[in-house]
């Protein structure tokens, strides 16, 4: 991996604007320990896992031991009690390796541990959070349905209260870690009040079934499933203390934040690979790196990564100050996904024919990033969130 420019200046090609120096020593320590682990233990194998469509189950515990699950949660629940920026940096380091690996961590931390921490009773927090933090238990988040993705308010999954229990019926689609999960956070509309409610659902509950989606050409090293809930009964204590769409959307805010950091890791991996490749690859009597248009493309890639890293840094500090307005998160999620996709596509192209093989990382990242640009709110959804913020008109 290139760390300084070939011209020999002190500038780093992995941190051109010295953004890392803006983080605290604790944040950088967390970042470097995750970097070391994922690059030595996961990177050498991830291409093969992706090809096979496989997420090794033991990685859950490895991420737990690394402290990568529930980074921002208090230590009494098994978290690391670290900053949001530290969580962002963890996402960046993991996504350098593969977006599917980061997805696992995002879902566990932002979409399962966050709502349990924010909205469950103390008893339920103590029951699930330490196990989720260690990776002993895996979680999934069921919001999207076959006919309700961008518009989660159109969900058909229903819940109804019977005595001290809730009965849930419905289908959820595109659920990361679904068939691996021990616990699912499921969102359903109450037949009584008409409000969207959230539940902690142990997946061993009768009537719960998860079936994997096997035809993905993206995120292949990640498990994605359909969930079927057929008269699933959970006790009242497993209902989350939040009502309405703001419940699930508050979780998405956390995960989108991690994505804004994470995708810059995938982009950096593609850039590193492209720089190394064009430096050696001969064309018309000299290395590709000596060609003007190749240099322009590398300069564009470096600009995108530098701007996206600065955006993520600022978003982290805003979040720590409690100023992470959803529209700010939308801007960073949308823009950094666009940047990362453009970098990955350029890297893929600069690698020529080799760029379409999984012996190199570019096409794997490029295909994964198609999912990242789609989930957690499509590019268009975030455009319309920003448009609504700018104009006051709801154009959904
Ligand atoms: P709208 O009227 O705008 O809002 C309903 C209520 O929610 C509140 N709210 C938010 N709260 C927290 N964070 C946000 N980002 C929020 N956005 C809105 C809002 O204040 C309101 O609260 P209240 O108390 O006044 O009722 O709702 P809408 O029906 O118009 O929808 C808005 C829209 C389209 C932006 C939203 O539905 C949306 O974001 N759609 C995209 C759905 C999406 O992102 N799904 C992701 C599923 S999970 C996933 O993809 C995981 S991938 C795995 C991984 O992360 O790796
Ligand atoms: P649709 O909403 O049908 O969108 C289709 C197209 O229409 C898009 O281009 C969209 O931008 C556009 N569109 C939608 N509304 C408008 C509009 N108003 N104006 C103009 N254009 C519009 N969900 C979960 O709940 N949990 C998970 O763990 C999870 N993991 C996922 C993992 C993977 C690999 C994938 C692919 C998805 C995952 N999702 C998950 C679902 C994901 O969040 C949805 O796919 C996403 O929100 C888009 O919904 P949709 O697929 O139904 O597309």
């Amino acid at each position: 991996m290139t760390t300084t420019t070939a011209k020999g200046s002190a500038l780093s090609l992995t941190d051109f604007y010295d953004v890392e120096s803006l983080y605290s020593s604790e944040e950088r320590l967390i970042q470097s320990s995750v970097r070391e682990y994922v690059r030595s233990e996961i990177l050498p194998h991830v291409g093969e896992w992706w090809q096979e469509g496989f997420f090794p189950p033991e990685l859950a515990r490895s991420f737990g031991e690394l402290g990568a699950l529930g980074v921002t949660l208090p230590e009494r629940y098994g978290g690391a009690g670290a900053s949001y920026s530290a969580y962002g940096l963890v996402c960046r380091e993991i996504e350098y390796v593969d977006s599917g690996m980061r997805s696992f961590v995002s879902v566990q931390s932002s979409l399962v541990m966050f709502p349990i921490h924010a909205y469950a009773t103390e008893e339920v927090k103590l029951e699930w959070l330490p196990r989720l933090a260690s990776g002993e238990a895996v979680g999934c988040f069921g919001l999207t349905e076959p006919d309700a993705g961008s518009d989660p308010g159109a969900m058909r999954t229903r819940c109804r209260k019977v005595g001290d229990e809730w009965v849930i019926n419905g289908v959820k689609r595109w659920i990361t870690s679904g068939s691996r999960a021990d616990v699912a956070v499921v969102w359903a509309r109450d037949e009584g009040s008409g409000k969207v409610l959230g539940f902690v659902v142990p997946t061993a509950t009768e009537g719960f079934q998860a079936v994997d989606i096997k035809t993905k050409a993206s995120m292949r090293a990640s498990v994605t499933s359909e969930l079927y809930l057929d008269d699933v009964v959970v006790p009242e204590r497993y209902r989350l203390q939040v009502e309405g769409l703001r419940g699930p959307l508050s979780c998405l805010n956390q995960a989108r934040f991690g994505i804004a950091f994470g995708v810059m890791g995938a982009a950096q991996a593609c850039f590193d690979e492209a720089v190394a490749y064009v430096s050696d690859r001969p064309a018309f009597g000299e290395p590709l790196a000596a060609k003007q248009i190749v240099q322009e493309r590398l300069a564009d890639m470096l600009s995108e990564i530098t701007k996206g890293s600065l955006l993520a840094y600022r978003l982290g500090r805003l979040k720590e100050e409690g100023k992470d307005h959803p529209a700010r998160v939308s801007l960073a999620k949308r823009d950094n996904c666009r940047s990362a996709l453009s970098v990955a596509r350029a890297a893929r192209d600069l690698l020529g024919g080799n760029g379409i093989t999984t012996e190199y990382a570019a096409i794997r990242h490029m295909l994964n990033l198609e999912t990242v640009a789609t989930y957690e709110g499509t590019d268009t959804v975030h455009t319309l969130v920003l448009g609504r913020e700018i104009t006051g008109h709801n154009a959904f």
Side-chain angles (χ1 to χ4, degrees):
M1 187 187 65
T2 315
T3 50
T4 55
T5 62
K7 188 170 174 289
S9 70
L11 295 174
S12 165
L13 286 185
T14 55
D15 185 16
F16 202 62
Y17 261 42
D18 213 8
V19 181
E20 280 177 23
S21 69
L22 299 172
Y23 292 103
S24 70
S25 53
E26 191 201 3
E27 288 163 343
R28 275 181 282 155
L29 190 66
I30 292 172
Q31 177 180 25
S32 63
S33 67
V34 172
R35 178 179 295 182
E36 200 175 304
Y37 176 81
V38 297
R39 294 198 194 180
S40 63
E41 302 301 316
I42 299 184
L43 193 55
H45 313 290
V46 74
E48 202 179 316
W49 296 337
W50 194 94
Q51 190 90 40
E52 291 167 3
F54 177 63
F55 176 87
E58 61 275 14
L59 281 184
R61 291 231 187 219
S62 305
F63 284 134
E65 280 163 25
L66 196 58
L69 305 175
V71 171
T72 58
L73 292 194
E75 288 174 23
R76 71 183 296 249
Y77 300 121
S83 67
Y84 284 108
S85 297
Y87 169 55
L89 292 171
V90 165
C91 288
R92 181 182 174 118
E93 291 307 321
I94 296 177
E95 197 148 354
Y96 185 95
V97 168
D98 191 85
S99 301
M101 303 290 132
R102 196 269 309 138
S103 255
F104 176 86
V105 170
S106 288
V107 169
Q108 186 95 347
S109 303
S110 291
L111 299 182
V112 179
M113 297 177 75
F114 167 80
I116 292 176
H117 181 249
Y119 306 125
T121 62
E122 186 63 14
E123 183 197 0
V124 173
K125 285 183 209 181
L126 290 170
E127 182 183 350
W128 285 105
L129 292 178
R131 293 176 61 207
L132 289 160
S134 68
E136 179 198 335
V138 169
C140 71
F141 177 87
L143 177 64
T144 306
E145 301 186 356
D147 290 324
S150 299
D151 181 14
M155 72 174 66
R156 291 187 186 161
T157 299
R158 292 288 180 263
C159 56
R160 67 171 194 280
K161 192 148 188 222
V162 182
D164 263 357
E165 294 174 328
W166 288 88
V167 183
I168 310 170
N169 279 288
V171 179
K172 298 289 175 182
R173 186 163 165 80
W174 298 115
I175 308 306
T176 301
S177 302
S179 66
R180 291 283 175 81
D182 302 284
V183 64
V185 169
V186 173
W187 302 93
R189 197 172 287 284
D190 179 9
E191 286 178 1
S193 68
K195 289 181 177 155
V196 169
L197 301 178
F199 298 90
V200 173
V201 181
T203 57
T205 310
E206 205 180 323
F208 185 101
Q209 198 196 349
V211 177
D212 286 344
I213 298 168
K214 302 238 186 214
T215 47
K216 289 179 299 171
S218 170
M219 287 291 189
R220 290 186 52 76
S222 169
V223 173
T224 316
S225 319
E226 211 160 32
L227 308 183
Y228 298 91
L229 294 100
D230 186 10
D231 280 337
V232 166
V233 178
V234 292
E236 164 67 16
R237 72 189 176 89
Y238 274 164
R239 182 171 67 80
L240 297 172
Q241 299 305 304
V242 64
E243 289 181 350
L245 264 188
R246 74 180 181 89
L249 292 176
S250 65
C251 307
L252 302 187
N253 248 11
Q254 311 293 318
R256 291 166 178 173
F257 170 87
I259 288 171
F261 279 78
V263 289
M264 286 298 109
Q268 184 71 49
C270 292
F271 177 68
D272 290 349
E273 185 168 81
V275 171
Y277 189 87
V278 300
S279 302
D280 286 344
R281 175 79 185 169
F284 301 95
E286 54 188 349
L288 274 175
K291 305 295 177 191
Q292 286 184 346
I293 289 179
V294 171
Q295 292 187 3
E296 182 189 33
R297 300 184 79 185
L298 295 176
D300 287 346
M301 293 160 91
L302 183 61
S303 287
E304 291 304 317
I305 295 168
T306 304
K307 286 187 287 185
S309 302
L310 282 162
L311 193 60
Y313 167 77
R314 180 65 190 142
L315 184 68
R317 293 302 181 230
L318 284 171
K319 190 165 176 62
E320 283 146 16
E321 292 168 24
K323 296 178 184 165
D324 57 326
H325 188 285
R328 284 184 163 152
V329 180
S330 281
L331 188 146
K333 194 275 181 182
R334 172 180 181 265
D335 210 63
N336 281 8
C337 283
R338 283 185 177 187
S339 293
L341 256 175
S342 75
V343 170
R345 286 172 182 153
R348 211 281 326 136
D349 179 62
L350 284 171
L351 268 64
N354 285 322
I356 67 116
T357 73
T358 51
E359 283 161 43
Y360 292 87
I363 198 161
R364 178 168 52 79
H365 283 298
M366 187 190 96
L367 292 170
N368 284 341
L369 286 165
E370 291 291 343
T371 285
V372 185
T374 292
Y375 70 25
E376 292 289 355
T378 64
D379 185 278
T380 301
V381 159
H382 293 296
T383 302
L384 296 175
V385 168
L386 291 168
R388 185 166 66 177
E389 195 64 33
I390 297 164
T391 68
H393 292 288
N394 186 345
F396 283 102

